[in-house]
């Protein structure tokens, strides 16, 4: 395929794009399966999770784990399987040698014996860094589409 | 992983597959955020956008931009955030050194204060070319699943 | 992007991840378009398809083809276009030099003249092998989210 030539992306950038996809595949499985310690370890120790649905950010791995643990307990009590799909990834250079990874996020929800459906549509903007060879989220910003419009992005 | 050996795809084809994913991530963000000039520039100057929901194709970048501008204004007036997910990418050699990129397209819609939901399921068949190092859509065909069935693809 | 350096995945593993995405793009199109022979050939001759919605596994390519043929005939009779989206791919080494590829699976359904919607949310766990240069599914396990919860994965 001639189109494979003359690309402007570097080889390393291209492989990083793919590595981020794989990172998200593992990360969101941790969350959706209630593996909250593994989930928290996908953030840096001082990682921050902000969401336009939350009055306050979760600051630090312990807070991120506690938040996920509470949500997982509620879902288990309700018999609901939630799944986070991240897609339409866009990767750009970030500050301090980090990378900004932006995705669309679709959250589905299925009750035992019930009908699967879309729960939320969001965007997810991450600042990713590498620690000991592993990607980590240093900052995540989740923006629910239903809570505001017209933010120009 | 032994499976990583003996592949039949060439290295260049593999990286092109990934570059197309990234291209779609950027392109559909332009559309969904109302950045209609940037959206139009992801097509060639003589790009064509056809859809089984439209009586006439949009021919040329100006027509493609005008169509998107009208749709974006309506969505903004309605307070609706639409998102286009392209996935299940298949890439094949096309005519004249181009590439045929085929995706499933899921369009979600969320009204401010409302419930996110699926608006449409489609397929999207693109002919992509490279101009000045950048991928561009020379021809796009969008086919809504609800408007016909059994087209054998 | 400095993050592109110091990765822990090998180059071959990374390209395999992408090749599996492309394999799924082609495979699920076969199923969704009713190309049941091509669908069956994406499994090994002795491939097994198990699902928590099915009382018995489909064992062997002939059984897998027969099952798909029956389903395709029903969908055609009903005028329904079904689409299988596999995403959030995670790849790990499997037994005997195989690869375990795990995805989230979202099945959408659109009736002619009707509204597109989510039919099912599932997980799909595959054991993949390579035959004559081509990836094949040796074992697939599909797990519908509505039929059980809390399986810890």
């Amino acid at each position: 395929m001639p189109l494979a030539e003359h690309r402007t992306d570097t080889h390393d950038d291209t492989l990083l794009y793919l590595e981020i996809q794989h990172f998200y595949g593992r990360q969101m499985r941790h969350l959706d399966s209630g593996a909250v310690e593994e989930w928290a370890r996908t953030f840096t120790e001082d990682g921050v999770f902000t969401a336009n649905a939350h009055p306050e950010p979760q600051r630090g791995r312990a807070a991120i784990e506690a938040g996920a643990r509470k949500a997982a307990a509620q879902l288990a009590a309700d018999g609901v399987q939630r799944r986070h799909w991240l897609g339409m990834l866009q990767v750009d250079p970030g500050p301090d040698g980090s990378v900004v990874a932006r995705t669309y996020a679709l959250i589905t929800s299925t009750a035992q014996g019930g009908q699967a459906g879309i729960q939320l549509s969001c965007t997810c903007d991450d600042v990713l860094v590498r620690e000991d060879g592993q990607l980590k989220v240093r900052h995540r910003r989740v923006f629910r589409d239903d809570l505001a419009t017209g933010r120009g992005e």
Side-chain angles (χ1 to χ4, degrees), chain A:
Chain A
M1 293 186 200
L3 251 67
E5 303 166 14
H6 310 300
R7 70 183 66 253
T8 52
D9 284 9
T10 71
H11 187 142
D12 273 354
D13 287 352
T14 304
L15 293 181
L16 177 62
Y17 183 86
L18 207 148
E19 186 187 8
I20 294 171
Q21 290 185 337
H22 205 171
F23 170 74
Y24 285 144
R26 295 186 190 278
Q27 183 191 42
M28 301 317 288
R29 250 183 204 80
H30 290 322
L31 181 62
D32 294 336
S33 65
V36 297
E37 294 177 36
E38 291 81 353
W39 157 255
R41 279 198 292 268
T42 63
F43 291 79
T44 61
E45 186 62 46
D46 64 349
V48 175
F49 188 121
T50 78
N52 68 338
H54 299 168
E56 293 295 329
Q58 295 171 348
R59 296 188 183 280
R61 216 179 255 166
I64 290 169
E65 180 177 332
R69 194 179 301 279
K70 189 176 167 188
Q74 187 62 54
L75 290 167
D78 295 343
V80 167
Q81 178 64 59
R82 212 174 44 174
R83 299 209 178 274
H84 290 74
W85 290 68
L86 303 186
M88 304 306 285
L89 174 62
Q90 174 176 340
V91 177
D92 294 294
D96 308 325
S98 64
V99 159
V100 175
R102 307 200 302 167
T103 47
Y104 286 1
L106 199 62
I107 306 174
T108 65
S109 178
T110 313
Q112 191 157 10
Q115 172 62 44
I118 291 179
Q119 183 180 348
L120 290 171
S121 170
C122 309
T123 52
C124 177
D125 295 353
D126 281 350
V127 177
L128 301 178
V129 296
R130 193 181 295 279
E131 288 184 356
D132 299 327
Q134 303 294 322
L135 294 178
K136 302 279 179 183
V137 178
R138 192 170 72 193
H139 191 280
R140 171 165 291 183
R141 185 177 73 125
V142 173
F143 204 95
R144 274 172 49 175
D145 286 337
D146 59 320
L147 295 186
T149 57
R151 64 185 181 125
E153 182 266 323

